[in-house]
Amino acid sequence: MRKIILSVIGVLLIIASFLFAQKLIADKNKPKPVQAKVVKTVFTDTVQNTTIPIVIAANGNLEAKRRLELYSEVQGIFKRGNKLFKPGQEYRAGQTLIKIDAAEYYASVQSSKSNLYNSISAIMPDLRLDFPDIYDKWQNYLNGFDLNKTTPKLPEMTSDKENYFITGQSIVSNYYNVKNLEQRLAKYSITAPFSGTLTEALVTEGTLIRSGQKLGEFIDTSIYEMEVAISKTYASLLKVGESVTLNNLDKTETYTGTVSRVNASIDPTTQTITTYIEVKHENLKEGMYLEANLNAKKESDAIEIDRNLLLESEQIFVVKDSLLDVIDVKPVYFSDTKVVLKNVPNGTVILKKAVPGAYSGMLVKPFKETSNTNNK
């Protein structure tokens, strides 16, 4: 029984081996399938060289062109004014920003003015007797002297004798002492030199102000400047008065400015030149972040394409007889997304969009819009 079973198994193994050998021979002789050529559809464009404006993109924050940092040169109590000294408060030119209590100092000024008046009055009898020709001049000065107004300028001295006599009576020195006190008295009140808004207030009514203390900051809200750094390559192209288009980050607002100043020196670290753009608009605020587009120059016989179409070897793909090829080009300007090229012949068919895995000799088919698409 055992021999019969082993014999059957042996016969089955022989038959299986024979069938397997036949299958291997059949597979070996079977022809391999021919892979169909893959033709990629690409977007193309035909080159037509034109004049491309070189627009330099820059950005920065707005700052008020006219700014006044308020400091006190005198000491005293901050008196309450017609308007609260608070950030955001608007003032017109000539309005009082800060008024410091000057009652004590005002009294000393009036005392000095009175002494000057008395000194001149005391020499009037001598002038009548010794200098009758100048008596009327000094008498008219006394008649116009008002203690409640600014001290008028002393009469002009026409002779050396008059000069020696008046100076010898200490009238000239007293006069300049009074003028010095009046100048200091004026510093107890700070007025707005231009219309604007208070952006910083460091004191309030009733505060004891000390000499040299910073009181706040006042800006002109009608005109702003934006400082931008431009590559030194375009330093010779920037002109004062050049129009500049500015917009916010969301591209929802557009403003027009002008180049007001161009720095004469180049930053040795960044190799950039600082340019100042002046802009006016009622919606602008200090600190706003804007993007600027400066028209530097115009490049003739050039084209503009996406930067991702330019290869590292300064070549671009072209389509020739349904095959991709490369040609050498000359980049003249790079922006964030675009590049301006020269030396691309008119009529050359180039790629409009990048093709993943593209190589020279690749079989391609230009995309053609259907008639339905054209009708839409």
Side-chain angles (χ1 to χ4, degrees), residues 262-335:
V262 179
N263 201 334
S265 64
I266 295 176
D267 189 324
T269 305
T270 60
Q271 290 297 294
T272 58
I273 187 169
T274 305
T275 304
Y276 298 89
I277 301 171
E278 183 180 302
V279 58
K280 299 179 181 180
H281 200 277
E282 58 183 6
N283 294 336
L284 296 176
K285 302 290 183 184
E286 187 174 63
M288 284 182 64
Y289 187 84
L290 297 180
E291 294 178 341
N293 297 310
L294 293 84
N295 297 318
K297 66 173 183 176
K298 294 182 179 180
E299 196 70 51
S300 60
D301 295 328
I303 63 171
E304 187 178 46
I305 64 173
D306 292 338
R307 287 190 62 167
N308 58 0
L309 295 177
L310 179 65
L311 305 178
E312 294 182 359
S313 56
E314 295 190 352
Q315 294 176 320
I316 60 172
F317 282 112
V318 298
V319 180
K320 293 181 179 179
D321 300 327
S322 299
L323 294 175
L324 285 185
D325 197 3
V326 292
I327 60 171
D328 295 327
V329 294
K330 180 183 178 183
V332 293
Y333 174 72
F334 291 89
S335 65

Side-chain angles (χ1 to χ4, degrees), residues 22 28 31 53 62 70 88 169 186 225 297 324 334:
Q22 291 294 328
K28 184 176 181 180
L62 289 181
L70 305 174
Q169 301 299 320
E225 274 191 340
K297 66 173 183 176
L324 285 185
F334 291 89

Side-chain angles (χ1 to χ4, degrees), residues 105 108-117 119-120 141 145-147 149-152 154 170-186:
Y105 193 80
S108 65
V109 174
Q110 293 299 95
S111 176
S112 297
K113 291 170 70 174
S114 179
N115 290 336
L116 174 62
Y117 183 85
S119 298
I120 298 175
Y141 179 80
F145 198 103
D146 189 345
L147 291 177
K149 295 181 180 179
T150 303
T151 304
L154 290 176
S170 301
I171 292 176
V172 175
S173 61
N174 289 341
Y175 166 78
Y176 283 109
N177 285 335
V178 170
K179 297 302 289 185
N180 181 51
L181 293 176
E182 287 180 339
Q183 289 290 328
R184 189 165 183 81
L185 179 63

Side-chain angles (χ1 to χ4, degrees), residues 9 23 55 86 97 238 284 326 365:
I9 293 173
K23 186 177 184 306
V55 180
K86 299 291 184 182
L97 295 173
L238 296 173
L284 296 176
V326 292
K365 180 178 67 174

Side-chain angles (χ1 to χ4, degrees), residues 219-290:
I219 66 170
D220 183 356
T221 55
S222 64
I223 183 168
Y224 295 92
E225 274 191 340
M226 187 173 76
E227 178 183 322
V228 296
I230 304 300
S231 173
K232 67 174 184 178
T233 308
Y234 307 103
S236 60
L237 304 176
L238 296 173
K239 304 295 182 184
V240 174
E242 187 79 22
S243 179
V244 182
T245 301
L246 301 102
N247 54 265
N248 57 5
L249 294 179
D250 299 329
K251 311 293 185 182
T252 57
E253 297 289 341
T254 302
Y255 311 99
T256 301
T258 56
V259 177
S260 59
R261 304 193 309 279
V262 179
N263 201 334
S265 64
I266 295 176
D267 189 324
T269 305
T270 60
Q271 290 297 294
T272 58
I273 187 169
T274 305
T275 304
Y276 298 89
I277 301 171
E278 183 180 302
V279 58
K280 299 179 181 180
H281 200 277
E282 58 183 6
N283 294 336
L284 296 176
K285 302 290 183 184
E286 187 174 63
M288 284 182 64
Y289 187 84
L290 297 180

